[in-house]
């Protein structure tokens, strides 16, 4: 019941972007009406934005919050919800994959992410190993079976190779792929990232760091939009 109240309060729903080659961006900095990063909305060429939720059991100050999510959607953006990658030194197991997925689900619900949205698992710098595959599969299974969301895979380099990614991005595990800078491409990904690490100066002082993204698919669902 609490989840339904938050959704109604924020007036959010799931949306499909149907603009092939649409430009987007992702950033780990908050963008709200009260900070100067809001100048990105001036002459932006971007249709969608990726913002991050925590891989722990709580949202930190720079993670996506309900007020920011509402603000972004009110400005007409399509918002992709990405879970931060783990530290590359963490030992990956299926048990950990399930735990991290539960954190993603609970954090998404807590900030009012509506049902039907894609939760993107960031696996940048994960090793190319069977342990990493088991982790990813367990994460996807938890989201598929025990949440109102759908799993999607955001992969970077160094990391999994093309054949491993192909084995994950399908109807069984992850519904869509987002290829980060340096990651294998041309394997059916829906979004391609690059150029990366673009620094934008807003109002002459506030600096925002973004990665640029391009929608390759004819359409992509799973975004948060204003209801």
């Amino acid at each position: 019941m609490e989840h339904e109240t938050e959704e109604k309060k924020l007036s959010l729903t799931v949306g499909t972007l149907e603009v092939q080659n649409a430009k987007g961006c992702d950033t780990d900095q908050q963008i709200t009406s009260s900070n100067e990063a809001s100048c990105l909305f001036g002459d932006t060429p971007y249709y969608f934005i990726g913002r991050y939720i925590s891989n722990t059991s709580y949202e930190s100050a720079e993670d996506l919050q309900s007020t920011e999510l509402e603000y972004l959607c009110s400005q007409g953006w399509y918002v992709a919800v990405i879970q931060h990658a783990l530290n590359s030194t963490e030992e990956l197991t299926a048990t950990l994959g399930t735990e991290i997925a539960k954190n993603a689900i609970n954090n998404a619900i807590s900030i009012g992410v509506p049902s039907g949205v894609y939760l993107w698992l960031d696996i940048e710098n994960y090793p190319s190993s069977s342990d990493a595959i088991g982790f990813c599969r367990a994460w996807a299974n938890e989201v598929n079976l025990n949440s109102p969301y759908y799993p999607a895979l955001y992969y970077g380099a160094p990391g999994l190779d093309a054949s491993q990614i192909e084995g994950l991005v399908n109807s069984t595990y992850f519904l869509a792929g987002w290829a980060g800078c340096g990651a294998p491409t041309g394997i059916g990904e829906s979004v391609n990232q690059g150029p990366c690490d673009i620094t934008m100066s807003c109002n002459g002082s506030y600096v925002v760091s973004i990665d640029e993204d391009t929608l390759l698919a004819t359409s992509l669902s799973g975004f948060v939009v204003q209801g």
Side-chain angles (χ1 to χ4, degrees):
M1 186 66 68
E2 181 180 349
H3 184 196
E4 294 176 356
T5 301
E6 291 229 356
E7 283 189 30
K8 184 176 181 180
K9 173 187 173 185
L10 297 174
S11 299
L12 303 179
T13 189
V14 61
T16 300
L17 181 56
E18 298 179 313
V19 182
Q20 191 169 21
N21 297 318
K23 293 295 183 183
C25 66
D26 59 278
T27 179
D28 60 5
Q29 292 173 256
Q30 282 198 341
I31 299 177
T32 70
S33 58
S34 60
N35 70 30
E36 294 180 354
S38 60
C39 73
L40 283 175
F41 296 109
D43 265 327
T44 180
Y46 304 127
Y47 285 82
F48 64 96
I49 185 167
R51 282 288 290 122
Y52 291 82
I53 58 173
S54 176
N55 55 45
T56 68
S57 59
Y58 61 91
E59 292 286 272
S60 69
E62 283 301 312
D63 291 327
L64 181 62
Q65 307 288 339
S66 59
T67 51
E68 180 190 9
L69 181 60
E70 181 180 12
Y71 174 69
L72 291 170
C73 292
S74 73
Q75 300 300 301
W77 286 55
Y78 289 71
V79 181
V81 181
I82 308 166
Q83 186 180 37
H84 275 296
L86 291 173
N87 188 301
S88 59
T89 61
E90 295 246 19
E91 182 180 352
L92 301 177
T93 65
T95 300
L96 182 60
T98 300
E99 177 187 338
I100 298 303
K102 288 179 179 177
N103 291 342
I105 295 163
N106 291 334
N107 289 332
I109 290 173
S110 74
I111 62 171
V113 174
S115 300
V117 165
Y118 289 4
L119 298 184
W120 295 84
L121 171 63
D122 185 348
I123 58 166
E124 294 173 277
N125 300 314
Y126 282 24
S128 178
S129 68
S130 58
D131 290 340
I133 297 297
F135 170 92
C136 291
R137 287 175 175 172
W139 191 98
N141 284 337
E142 183 65 23
V143 174
N144 263 322
L145 298 175
N146 296 310
S147 87
Y149 307 118
Y150 296 104
L153 192 64
Y154 180 113
Y155 46 90
L160 304 183
D161 62 33
S163 63
Q164 291 171 319
I165 294 167
E166 282 186 308
L168 288 171
V169 181
N170 51 50
S171 58
T172 302
Y173 296 109
F174 296 91
L175 298 188
W178 187 327
C181 286
T185 58
I187 51 176
E189 66 272 18
S190 301
V191 183
N192 199 8
Q193 187 182 71
C196 290
D197 299 321
I198 301 171
T199 299
M200 302 181 71
S201 178
C202 290
N203 300 327
S205 59
Y206 193 91
V207 175
V208 183
S209 178
I210 67 168
D211 297 325
E212 192 168 271
D213 304 288
T214 303
L215 179 66
L216 302 181
T218 304
S219 65
L220 181 63
S221 187
F223 293 95
V224 188
V225 297
Q226 187 76 29

